[in-house]
């Protein structure tokens, strides 16, 4: 072997990146693999090399989970009313406006009915890109109505959580959405309609401390951050180093808080299997 | 004299000291009239200061170390209290106390977050920050109350659920979520009283009920002003602004129908006269409980769920 051969991969030039047509290629956040857009889509937005699950929005989940064109959205245009007239470094009203403009969404959750391999379901799917997937009055109300729909139709409920927690800019009203959604879930339980909770990266704070943890079956995507307090807050409060893998899906599985971890590519078939088991 | 004096309390305390000095003098001198006029002045000053408190000042009163805590209210309001311990799964959380007691001669289950008053007792009580076993202990006691058809009264006073490594391992989020779920359908009346700090999910974890009462100088919100400041302003220096923005006082929350009733505090706040604070609260608790007892339990639960469903403001 030649003594001058590189043992490690060299420093890659930045200019190479610019040659790639914008939007066609994506780099894996975890292993650095360059993935073509089509390939990424085919893999349900996971890295074919290291299985890293990219953060995706409600549209992608609808595409992955639902039978073609079966998803019918409810309460699409419900919007925040800024009840507190909240201003920090920027008025909340402006933040909302900006988020709507940037994401094309009206708030951090989309709800609706649809079919999964022929099974009718009601679903609520969160969008992290809308103010960190935070839960304020709109998210709470839309989820409460989705549960109501589930009770009425007897269609099983699926909630895909992806959220930093309750939305600060609506103060105590946001906090009350934890109680509101949980209270509504008691009615769903009473009606004996199944609820599958899918926890994705990240699910923290008030979202975890309400509906995300209350599924009849809790499923998590691999490697997702799931917890109550954020890792930084815990580190600050305890002054301790956090153990490796702390607050990941795998950690929660080990501690007994989720039923199983499911690769996104298998999500549809696993959910179908569960729906089958509940139905027959 | 109180050990801890808040900045805005200083002029009042100074006048009070003056009066007590004059009272000593009055044994030999005739200065009754002067004392009287000074006392009137104190009242005026106090009214003036306390009717113009900023939200941040209210947060400070809510945290006053001499403010009555859960066990103080239990001791002052109820009789025959027997403290019950443990969640039966893991351990006994000292930040959450509870047990059977008698209120006005009738058995109730009292449950509340408990802070300490000095370093030693604060460490023992974990500064009133609960771990998952605390929420599970609270739920166990509520289920016990349900079984024997005794009403539940909870006292909220916490700077938040404990953000610890072990707390996460044992499912802090699940424990809180489970309580929200179970309290929504508990088949006995529940009265919730915010007596100090109501910090986010940590407080709400024992805060679902038929009547939500809040003492006059308390705060209850999704986050503390300090943490809100650090996240949104990226600095710890904007806590006053954050407190204003969060609209976290009893007067704010009653407008959003998040609380049902404000419990007045004695002049200057509960810490200036804990006995009086307890008397006021006791009367209101008895009144509320009597009203709730008249409602059939199925109807009560329906109303409880509806009450929380109505919370939220949005545009369609």
């Amino acid at each position: 072997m030649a003594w001058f051969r590189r043992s490690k991969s060299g420093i890659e030039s930045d200019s190479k990146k610019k040659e790639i047509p914008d939007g066609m290629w994506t780099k894996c956040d975890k292993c650095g693999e360059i993935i073509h857009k089509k390939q990424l889509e085919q893999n349900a937005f996971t890295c074919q090399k290291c299985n890293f699950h990219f953060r995706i929005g409600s549209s992608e989940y609808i595409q992955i989970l639902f039978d073609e064109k079966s998803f019918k959205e409810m309460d699409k245009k419900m919007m925040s009313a800024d009840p507190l007239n909240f201003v920090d470094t920027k008025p909340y009203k402006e933040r909302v406006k900006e988020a709507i403009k940037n994401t094309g969404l009206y708030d951090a959750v989309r709800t609706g009915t649809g079919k999964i391999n022929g099974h009718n379901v009601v679903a609520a799917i969160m969008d992290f890109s809308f103010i960190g997937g935070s839960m304020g009055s709109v998210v709470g109300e839309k989820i409460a109505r989705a549960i109501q729909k589930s009770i009425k139709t007897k269609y099983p409920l699926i909630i895909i959580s992806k959220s930093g927690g309750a939305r600060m800019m609506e103060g105590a009203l946001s906090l009350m959405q934890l109680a509101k959604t949980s209270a509504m879930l008691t009615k769903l339980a009473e009606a004996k309609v199944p609820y599958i909770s899918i926890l994705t990266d990240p699910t923290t704070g008030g979202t975890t401390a309400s509906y995300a943890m209350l599924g009849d079956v809790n499923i998590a995507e691999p490697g997702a951050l799931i917890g109550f307090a954020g890792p930084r807050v815990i580190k600050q409060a305890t002054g301790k180093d956090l153990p490796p893998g702390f607050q990941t899906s795998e950690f929660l599985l080990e501690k007994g808080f989720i039923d199983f971890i499911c690769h996104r590519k298998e999500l549809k078939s696993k959910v179908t299997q569960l729906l089958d088991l509940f139905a027959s | 004299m109180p050990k801890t004096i808040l900045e805005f309390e200083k002029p009042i305390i100074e006048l009070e000291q003056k009066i007590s000095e004059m009272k000593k003098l009055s044994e030999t001198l005739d200065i009754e009239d002067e004392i009287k006029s000074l006392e009137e002045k104190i009242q005026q000053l106090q009214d003036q200061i306390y009717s113009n408190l900023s939200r941040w000042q209210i947060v400070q009163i809510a945290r006053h170390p001499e403010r009555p805590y859960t066990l103080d209210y239990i001791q002052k309001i109820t009789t025959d209290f027997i403290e019950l311990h443990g969640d039966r799964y893991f351990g006994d959380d000292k930040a959450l106390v509870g047990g059977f007691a008698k209120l006005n001669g009738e058995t109730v289950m009292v449950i509340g977050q408990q802070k300490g008053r000095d370093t030693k007792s604060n460490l023992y009580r974990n500064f009133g920050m609960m771990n998952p076993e605390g929420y599970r202990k609270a739920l166990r006691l509520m289920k016990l109350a349900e079984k024997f058809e005794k009403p539940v009264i909870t006292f909220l006073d916490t700077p938040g659920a404990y953000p610890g490594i072990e707390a996460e391992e044992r499912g802090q989020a699940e424990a809180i979520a489970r309580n929200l779920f179970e309290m929504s359908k508990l088949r006995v009346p529940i009265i919730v009283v915010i007596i100090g700090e109501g910090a986010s999910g940590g407080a709400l974890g024992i805060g679902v009920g038929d009547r939500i009462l809040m003492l006059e100088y308390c705060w209850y919100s999704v986050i503390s002003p300090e943490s809100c400041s650090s996240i949104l302003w990226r600095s710890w220096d904007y806590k006053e602004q954050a407190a204003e923005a969060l609209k976290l006082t009893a007067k704010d929350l009653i407008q959003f129908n998040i609380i049902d009733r404000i419990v007045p505090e004695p002049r200057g706040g509960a810490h200036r006269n804990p006995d009086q604070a307890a008397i006021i609260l006791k009367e209101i608790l008895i009144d509320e409980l009597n009203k709730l007892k008249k409602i059939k339990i199925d109807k009560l639960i329906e109303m409880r769920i509806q009450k929380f469903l109505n919370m939220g403001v949005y545009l369609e």
Side-chain angles (χ1 to χ4, degrees):
Chain A
M1 200 172 101
W3 61 272
F4 48 82
R5 182 169 289 170
R6 278 184 195 279
S7 60
K8 291 178 203 160
S9 61
I11 300 161
E12 279 166 53
S13 148
D14 278 340
S15 59
K16 197 170 130 199
K17 232 182 188 170
K18 285 168 198 153
E19 288 159 26
I20 302 169
D22 206 33
M24 285 308 290
W25 296 86
T26 312
K27 193 173 162 188
C28 173
D29 292 348
K30 202 175 159 195
C31 72
E33 177 83 350
I34 306 288
I35 314 162
H36 192 272
K37 201 183 159 196
K38 285 234 169 90
Q39 215 174 3
L40 195 63
E41 260 187 59
Q42 261 174 19
N43 273 312
F45 304 92
T46 63
C47 173
Q48 76 266 29
K49 196 173 161 200
C50 74
N51 277 328
F52 174 75
H53 282 51
F54 284 76
R55 277 187 190 169
I56 54 174
S58 54
S59 304
E60 287 79 17
Y61 276 110
I62 290 168
Q63 184 195 323
I64 290 165
L65 218 51
F66 285 88
D67 301 348
E68 222 183 319
K69 288 181 183 161
S70 72
F71 186 79
K72 290 190 181 61
E73 193 167 351
M74 312 186 304
D75 306 307
K76 188 177 174 180
K77 294 194 171 172
M78 195 188 288
M79 270 167 64
S80 167
D82 186 21
L84 268 51
N85 261 314
F86 193 97
V87 180
D88 51 277
T89 52
K90 201 190 277 180
Y92 174 45
K93 271 196 191 77
E94 263 174 45
R95 278 184 199 273
V96 171
K97 239 188 228 165
E98 241 169 62
I100 292 173
K101 204 177 136 212
N102 292 340
T103 61
L105 304 160
Y106 289 88
D107 211 298
V109 74
R110 282 166 79 197
T111 54
T113 55
K115 279 183 197 284
I116 296 177
N117 282 326
H119 288 279
N120 282 309
V121 297
V122 176
I125 308 164
M126 300 191 75
D127 277 288
F128 193 74
S129 57
F130 198 100
I131 317 186
S134 55
M135 168 168 46
S137 296
V138 175
V139 170
E141 179 66 19
K142 281 173 90 167
I143 286 185
R145 287 190 195 179
I147 301 169
Q148 185 70 50
K149 184 83 178 177
S150 212
I151 295 167
K152 232 177 173 173
T153 56
K154 300 271 177 188
Y155 297 166
L157 174 73
I158 295 175
I159 300 180
I160 302 181
S161 295
K162 195 182 270 301
S163 165
R167 188 174 296 171
M168 273 176 282
M169 299 81 147
E170 292 183 30
L173 282 165
S174 295
L175 180 62
M176 292 309 137
Q177 305 312 308
L178 277 68
K180 175 170 173 169
T181 52
S182 304
M184 203 59 205
L185 283 174
T186 64
K187 289 190 155 198
L188 186 75
E190 201 182 308
K192 296 195 189 301
V193 179
Y195 163 36
I196 300 171
S197 173
I198 302 172
L199 297 91
T200 73
D201 186 59
T203 301
T204 58
T207 304
T208 324
S210 58
Y211 51 83
M213 270 293 155
L214 292 172
D216 293 311
V217 177
N218 294 339
I219 306 174
E221 285 189 346
L225 171 76
I226 302 166
F228 180 63
R232 246 178 310 159
V233 176
I234 298 171
K235 220 171 162 179
Q236 207 173 44
T238 59
K240 285 182 202 162
D241 282 331
L242 306 179
F246 182 62
Q247 293 186 312
T248 57
S249 307
E250 294 72 18
F251 172 90
L252 264 88
L253 179 69
E254 190 56 36
K255 298 297 172 192
F257 292 102
I258 55 174
D259 290 286
F260 59 87
I261 293 170
C262 183
H263 194 288
R264 201 181 281 153
K265 272 169 85 178
E266 273 127 45
L267 196 57
K268 184 167 182 174
S269 69
K270 267 281 178 341
V271 168
T272 307
Q273 195 185 340
L274 270 176
L275 292 171
D276 264 337
L277 287 165
F278 278 120
S280 37
Chain B
M1 202 180 93
K3 277 179 243 151
T4 310
I5 302 165
L6 302 171
E7 194 57 41
F8 56 88
E9 288 182 314
K10 268 184 190 161
I12 301 165
I13 308 283
E14 273 165 19
L15 281 178
E16 280 177 350
Q17 275 173 294
K18 210 173 238 174
I19 289 183
S20 71
E21 277 164 28
M22 282 169 78
K23 275 187 177 157
K24 273 181 213 154
L25 278 176
S26 71
E27 284 161 19
T28 49
L29 290 167
D30 183 27
I31 45 173
E32 285 292 313
D33 287 349
E34 276 173 64
I35 291 175
K36 220 175 198 171
S37 83
L38 209 53
E39 275 172 341
E40 273 167 28
K41 206 177 158 196
I42 286 184
Q43 282 207 1
Q44 274 173 14
L45 190 64
Q46 210 159 26
D47 286 343
Q48 194 203 335
I49 291 171
Y50 275 76
S51 59
N52 291 306
L53 288 174
S54 73
R55 291 185 173 91
W56 174 247
Q57 285 171 326
I58 290 173
V59 170
Q60 287 176 294
I61 303 176
R63 290 173 179 165
H64 198 288
E66 282 149 58
R67 211 175 153 78
Y69 294 151
T70 294
L71 282 173
D72 301 312
Y73 284 116
I74 291 175
Q75 187 239 322
K76 288 179 200 297
I77 288 174
T78 68
T79 58
D80 305 282
F81 173 59
I82 288 195
E83 192 178 345
L84 305 173
H85 293 273
D87 69 343
R88 300 292 188 270
Y89 297 114
F90 179 80
D92 182 47
D93 191 341
K94 313 291 190 296
L96 186 282
V97 295
F100 283 124
K102 278 184 184 172
L103 173 67
N104 203 24
E106 284 184 58
T107 303
V108 291
M109 176 62 80
V110 286
I111 296 168
Q113 287 141 348
Q114 180 67 37
K115 290 180 177 175
R117 273 191 213 288
D118 48 34
T119 311
K120 200 179 155 200
S121 62
N122 255 322
L123 287 174
Y124 181 72
R125 298 290 180 191
N126 199 26
F127 298 86
M129 294 186 285
M130 289 165 68
N131 274 289
E133 50 274 21
Y135 295 102
R136 292 179 185 132
K137 168 176 159 185
L139 183 58
R140 185 196 136 228
L141 298 184
M142 287 186 254
K143 289 281 185 186
L144 191 60
E146 183 182 50
K147 182 175 174 183
F148 297 103
E149 297 180 342
K150 308 297 178 201
V152 172
I153 299 170
T154 67
F155 298 101
L156 274 50
D157 189 12
T158 180
Y162 184 58
I165 294 171
E166 293 81 7
E168 294 288 320
E169 285 178 348
R170 297 195 290 272
Q172 189 74 291
E174 193 275 344
I176 293 170
R178 187 64 51 202
N179 278 15
L180 303 182
F181 184 88
E182 294 292 340
M183 289 182 88
S184 300
K185 62 186 178 91
L186 198 79
R187 297 186 63 79
V188 287
I190 306 173
I191 298 178
V192 176
V193 196
I194 300 129
I195 58 168
E197 295 191 87
S200 200
L204 182 65
I206 58 164
V208 176
D210 302 297
R211 296 289 285 171
I212 317 293
L213 317 179
M214 185 161 171
L215 266 67
E216 205 175 344
Y217 305 119
C218 292
W219 73 270
Y220 190 22
S221 193
V222 69
I223 193 164
S224 73
E226 289 92 334
S227 302
C228 182
S229 161
S230 89
I231 295 171
L232 291 180
W233 279 268
R234 298 181 191 283
S235 149
W236 295 96
D237 302 336
Y238 294 86
K239 50 187 192 284
E240 282 97 341
Q241 283 99 314
E244 288 300 316
L246 284 167
K247 304 214 166 38
L248 39 59
T249 68
K251 270 188 200 153
D252 295 320
L253 299 184
I254 204 155
Q255 285 173 31
F256 294 117
N257 294 319
I258 287 173
I259 60 165
D260 299 297
R261 186 166 174 176
I262 299 173
V263 180
E265 292 188 27
R267 201 179 279 275
H271 63 286
R272 302 298 309 275
N273 193 342
D275 287 331
Q276 183 65 23
I279 289 168
I280 300 168
L281 179 58
K282 183 178 180 177
E283 258 175 51
I284 290 177
L285 281 175
I286 292 168
D287 173 52
E288 293 291 351
L289 213 50
N290 284 337
K291 282 189 223 160
L292 291 178
K293 276 194 292 193
K294 289 184 190 128
I295 305 168
K296 285 218 170 77
I297 191 65
D298 287 320
K299 173 115 193 279
L300 193 66
I301 292 169
E302 194 51 46
M303 285 164 62
R304 187 189 302 158
I305 293 174
Q306 196 55 50
K307 164 197 190 64
F308 283 92
L309 287 184
N310 289 341
M311 291 182 192
V313 184
Y314 46 85
L315 299 170
E316 282 192 273

